[in-house]
Amino acid sequence: MSPSRTAAFFDLDKTIIAKSSTLAFGKPFYDGGLLNRRAVLRSAYANFMFSISGADHDQLEKMRAYLTEMVKGWDVEVVRQAVAETLHTIIDPIVFEEAVTLIEQHQAAGRDVIIVSASGIEVVEPIGAMLGVDHVIATTLVAEEGRYTGEVAFYAYGPHKAAAMRQLADERGYDLRRSYAYSDSETDIPMLEAVGHPFAVNPDKALRKQADENDWPVLVFARPVALRRRLGLDTRAGKAAATAVVAGAVSAVAVAVVSHRRGRSA
């Protein structure tokens, strides 16, 4: 029996939101005692450079190495709490309205929506819950005794994104030839090539060239949206619902980290 379901896969940074999702949490991580002032300033500078120029393969590899070394020894629970407590303050103002509209349209058409991001699952999972997507694929760090070791269990980057998408499609019965994908970066060309309907969003120079050569549509996302007001989360009931959703996502991440740790020790 051939796959009959379809899905829409979205990169996160500069596709759904205007900044690096991981670097955006520099101040909360500092407030939680995870970062020193120098690291916060370095993260802010890296985020600024990312926002104006994007990031190629070498830059992302350097960023990955820097971030994994930076988080070595961090308390996983403190990270989760910092994300949960500041999620709406940090992410709400930098979500693109065009992305939210597309997510809603795909879900109305009966497609699952999946965020595929190189950022850590502790950051991506709560953002996905806030946006109401169906699943996330994200980088997973190894944790032992409640602290990160600095090792990477799964790096959701480049061809690894495409491989994870194919695996998820096999598990859920998605027809990738009829599915959609959106990204801004040349490093996500394998992700875009994995589906029948690829879209370049705010593309960097290399991706724009690839899109032109392959007749891929190019989209421009430029309007941040007050997500809480759009989704009705600025009401008392809405805020309570949002808190419950994010708390559920944080709990799910905790289970994933513990399960991974148990799997390593088995």
Side-chain angles (χ1 to χ4, degrees):
M1 183 177 178
S2 61
S4 58
R5 302 172 65 191
T6 57
F9 299 88
F10 286 78
D11 174 49
L12 180 59
D13 300 347
K14 293 193 75 176
T15 302
I16 293 179
I17 64 176
K19 296 181 181 180
S20 162
S21 50
T22 298
L23 297 176
F25 285 95
K27 187 178 186 301
F29 291 163
Y30 170 76
D31 292 339
L34 300 172
L35 290 176
N36 58 33
R37 183 173 179 81
R38 180 179 180 183
V40 171
L41 292 173
R42 184 174 179 182
S43 294
Y45 176 73
N47 209 345
F48 171 71
M49 294 304 296
F50 179 89
S51 67
I52 64 173
S53 64
D56 59 21
H57 172 80
D58 291 341
Q59 290 170 324
L60 283 175
E61 280 297 312
K62 290 178 181 178
M63 187 181 296
R64 179 196 65 82
Y66 164 63
L67 290 174
T68 53
E69 179 61 28
M70 181 179 69
V71 304
K72 185 176 180 179
W74 282 13
D75 187 309
V76 178
E77 180 62 25
V78 174
V79 172
R80 291 198 301 266
Q81 289 303 317
V83 172
E85 291 170 4
T86 59
L87 180 67
H88 288 288
T89 302
I90 291 174
I91 299 301
D92 191 308
I94 60 175
V95 175
F96 288 125
E97 182 177 15
E98 298 91 340
V100 176
T101 298
L102 264 177
I103 288 171
E104 292 173 340
Q105 290 174 346
H106 281 299
Q107 290 179 326
R111 299 185 190 96
D112 283 358
V113 174
I114 297 98
I115 293 176
V116 189
S117 175
S119 291
I121 194 168
E122 291 83 357
V123 170
V124 181
E125 188 87 46
I127 293 174
M130 183 180 72
L131 292 168
V133 304
D134 300 280
H135 190 70
V136 303
I137 294 169
T139 294
T140 305
L141 302 179
V142 176
E144 293 180 353
E145 298 181 356
R147 295 184 179 275
Y148 296 116
T149 66
E151 298 175 345
V152 180
F154 172 69
Y155 187 25
Y157 168 79
H160 302 303
K161 282 189 176 184
M165 288 164 57
R166 294 188 183 97
Q167 180 179 342
L168 188 65
D170 289 341
E171 294 171 358
R172 298 194 171 191
Y174 299 143
D175 182 351
L176 290 179
R177 293 170 300 179
R178 295 167 48 228
S179 294
Y180 297 72
Y182 302 85
S183 181
D184 69 290
S185 173
E186 66 167 313
T187 61
D188 283 339
I189 288 174
M191 169 183 170
L192 297 174
E193 290 177 334
V195 301
H197 300 287
F199 289 79
V201 178
N202 300 339
D204 57 27
K205 185 176 180 180
L207 179 56
R208 181 174 289 277
K209 181 175 183 292
Q210 184 82 358
D212 290 343
E213 292 174 353
N214 291 279
D215 293 323
W216 293 347
V218 175
L219 305 178
V220 176
F221 292 176
R223 297 192 303 274
V225 61
L227 190 61
R228 283 170 293 182
R229 288 197 295 273
R230 176 173 178 140
L231 301 181
L233 300 181
D234 54 347
T235 65
R236 180 176 298 178
K239 288 177 181 178
T243 300
V245 167
V246 172
V250 170
S251 297
V253 171
V255 171
V257 171
V258 170
S259 297
H260 178 75
R261 186 166 67 244
R262 287 176 178 169
R264 282 173 55 86
S265 61

